[in-house]
Amino acid sequence: MRTIDVVRDGRAAAEAALRRPSPHENAEVEQVARGILEDVRARGEAALLELGRRFDSPVLDRIEVSSEEWDAASDSVEPPLREAVAVAAERIRAFHEAQRRTSWQMESGGVLAGQLLRPLDRVGLYVPGGTAVYPSSVLMCALPARVAGVPEIIMCTPCRRDGTVHPLVLHAARVAGVQRAFRVGGAQAIAAMAYGAGPVPAVDKIAGPGNVWVNAAKRLVYGVVGIDMLAGPSEVCVLADEGARADFAAADMLVQAEHDVESAAYLVTWSRDLAERVAAEVERQVAGLPREGVLREALARRGAIVVARDADEAIDLVNVCAPEHLALMVREPFSALGRIRNAGAVLLGDYAPQTLGDYAAGPSHTLPTSGTARFASPLHVDTFIKKSSFLYATRQGLAGLEATLVALAETEGFDAHAAAVRRRLRD
């Protein structure tokens, strides 16, 4: 893991270390994903079964999870896990209930203008699977959609080698209000939800994280359907002062780094002493962890400790980084929070590890990555809402704006626009 000192190495080197390349621009991956999309669009369920047998399970014989399978899977979940899912689900639901808004209107001079808020009709969720188990991803995507009022939520997820979907994923889906589940993974799942294939219906929007093939497919189908975001590898930035706990800072860097060798982990501080202590602590904590190999490669590729000149520069560098997760390990975290412009999720103080946000705090853990927190937001209720504006005017209201409307229409060369106003006011 590199250490960059702004005084020694320069500001440009620090900024370069904190920027991640976009994982979504890969011509080879896009070409393969495009071929899968076209195949599923042309052959439907036959293509889904063929691709599923090739990539997921050689015994895959049907796409949709039956109600009997779903019942059996849900019943098999042990009580402690059922309780964990229930607690997390309730907290996630409560947080998103607070985001709900209603349609509104305003009136000025005889002109009424407003906005209608309506949930999408059908949403498709992609949940990574196969060898991995991510019930939390089900909750974090499905519950905001449910709170938004989406009447139909479906889920696609890769099956295991024996053709089954992990029981805990199915249980979480049932708790979160998913109505139908399908054993489809990868780019073919995105194709099925975008175009409709076999039993998988076409949806209005696709949400949920995935690998490079899934993201390439989401990018290609955007415009046919909506998508939530293009989520890249996990990342974290820890902003810490001289009084921070080195062991806590190191632990938080490892939380995201253990996801994948492409994950990123950064420490930004203005204390050289802390930088040295955290570097040593990271090495101590990594040793012997089950995913030590993944962690070491991730830290070697996209791990960095940046020593800024002072607190102001450190905060500025954090905003340049625009991380998915930002941990504020400083004496006055709420004061620092007011100066953070770019971050997906901000965790304040010593007792808010990313684990809390990943599972049970309430906000969705589907967050903008790769620096897109500069312009993007976490998945939330409005992800699943569409908005329509509406207008009403009295004759007097229109007359009051006649001069403005006609002047602008004629300036832009649209005489029919001006005539539509004048005709109404001649009577």
Side-chain angles (χ1 to χ4, degrees):
M1 182 168 60
R2 299 164 293 165
T3 296
I4 296 93
D5 190 313
V6 173
V7 173
R8 180 190 66 211
D9 303 312
R11 173 66 179 255
E15 291 189 4
L18 294 170
R19 288 196 173 104
R20 286 80 69 210
S22 171
H24 310 304
E25 297 178 4
N26 185 312
E28 182 179 346
V29 170
E30 185 170 308
Q31 183 178 7
V32 173
R34 190 184 299 276
I36 292 174
L37 293 174
E38 292 172 353
D39 187 26
V40 172
R41 193 173 191 179
R43 298 196 297 128
E45 186 173 10
L48 296 181
L49 288 168
E50 182 180 309
L51 290 164
R53 290 171 189 142
R54 184 193 312 172
F55 295 120
D56 299 321
S57 168
V59 298
L60 180 66
D61 59 356
R62 61 192 184 283
I63 299 299
E64 185 162 6
V65 176
S66 70
S67 58
E68 292 78 15
E69 291 176 275
W70 210 328
D71 290 340
S74 190
D75 291 343
S76 72
V77 175
E78 295 294 327
L81 283 175
R82 297 175 72 89
E83 177 65 17
V85 168
V87 170
E90 182 52 39
R91 295 180 66 89
I92 295 164
R93 182 182 290 106
F95 178 85
H96 289 88
E97 286 282 358
Q99 298 176 12
R100 294 184 66 179
R101 295 185 291 171
T102 60
S103 302
W104 57 272
Q105 63 187 37
M106 58 183 290
E107 189 275 334
S108 176
V111 176
L112 182 71
Q115 193 174 68
L116 294 174
L117 278 66
R118 297 287 184 263
L120 303 180
D121 291 331
R122 181 187 291 138
V123 164
L125 307 180
Y126 184 82
V127 179
T131 58
V133 185
Y134 295 115
S136 61
S137 291
V138 182
L139 300 178
M140 294 292 185
C141 290
L143 286 167
R146 176 58 63 198
V147 171
V150 176
E152 185 176 356
I153 304 173
I154 70 167
M155 176 181 78
C156 283
T157 187
C159 62
R160 298 181 290 185
R161 293 298 291 174
D162 64 0
T164 64
V165 175
H166 196 284
L168 190 54
V169 170
L170 289 174
H171 175 67
R174 174 160 285 180
V175 169
V178 175
Q179 289 106 329
R180 300 175 70 186
F182 304 92
R183 287 174 263 255
V184 189
Q188 57 269 31
I190 304 305
M193 291 189 284
Y195 306 124
V200 185
V203 303
D204 300 310
K205 195 166 197 174
I206 298 171
N211 60 21
V212 293
W213 313 100
V214 169
N215 277 312
K218 286 173 73 174
R219 185 176 182 181
L220 289 168
V221 300
Y222 177 68
V224 176
V225 293
I227 62 172
D228 56 344
M229 65 182 77
L230 298 174
S234 295
E235 55 195 45
V236 60
C237 180
V238 178
L239 175 67
D241 60 21
E242 64 278 2
R245 289 273 300 261
D247 56 339
F248 288 179
D252 271 18
M253 293 177 72
L254 299 180
V255 167
Q256 299 306 324
E258 76 173 342
H259 276 279
D260 186 85
V261 297
E262 299 293 334
S263 298
Y266 307 113
L267 170 73
V268 178
T269 183
W270 54 97
S271 169
R272 290 179 178 82
D273 175 66
L274 179 73
E276 293 172 0
R277 288 189 286 118
V278 171
E281 189 65 30
V282 166
E283 181 61 32
R284 188 187 70 79
Q285 292 185 25
V286 163
L289 285 173
R291 296 178 67 82
E292 180 178 354
V294 170
L295 282 161
R296 290 194 182 280
E297 185 170 352
L299 293 171
R301 291 162 65 103
R302 292 197 175 87
I305 294 175
V306 174
V307 181
R309 293 182 180 90
D310 53 33
D312 289 339
E313 183 174 57
I315 290 175
D316 194 35
L317 286 169
V318 165
N319 283 317
V320 169
C321 180
E324 177 188 19
H325 301 88
L326 172 62
L328 297 181
M329 295 189 176
V330 294
R331 284 191 180 88
E332 299 291 340
F334 285 94
S335 176
L337 178 64
R339 300 176 63 187
I340 300 303
R341 302 189 310 276
N342 304 325
V346 185
L347 302 111
L348 289 77
D350 286 346
Y351 299 100
Q354 294 144 76
T355 313
L356 177 64
D358 279 349
Y359 294 118
S364 176
H365 71 199
T366 302
L367 303 166
T369 62
S370 307
T372 59
R374 292 178 295 108
F375 56 82
S377 304
L379 185 146
H380 55 299
V381 168
D382 277 7
T383 303
F384 305 104
I385 294 287
K386 56 188 175 184
K387 301 169 185 177
S388 303
S389 57
F390 64 87
L391 303 168
Y392 168 81
T394 63
R395 188 179 191 283
Q396 292 76 14
L398 181 62
L401 288 172
E402 178 184 9
T404 298
L405 299 173
V406 169
L408 291 172
E410 291 182 343
T411 296
E412 294 187 355
F414 292 127
D415 292 337
H417 282 60
V421 174
R422 288 183 173 129
R423 186 175 301 278
R424 283 169 167 79
L425 298 176
R426 278 208 307 260
D427 295 342

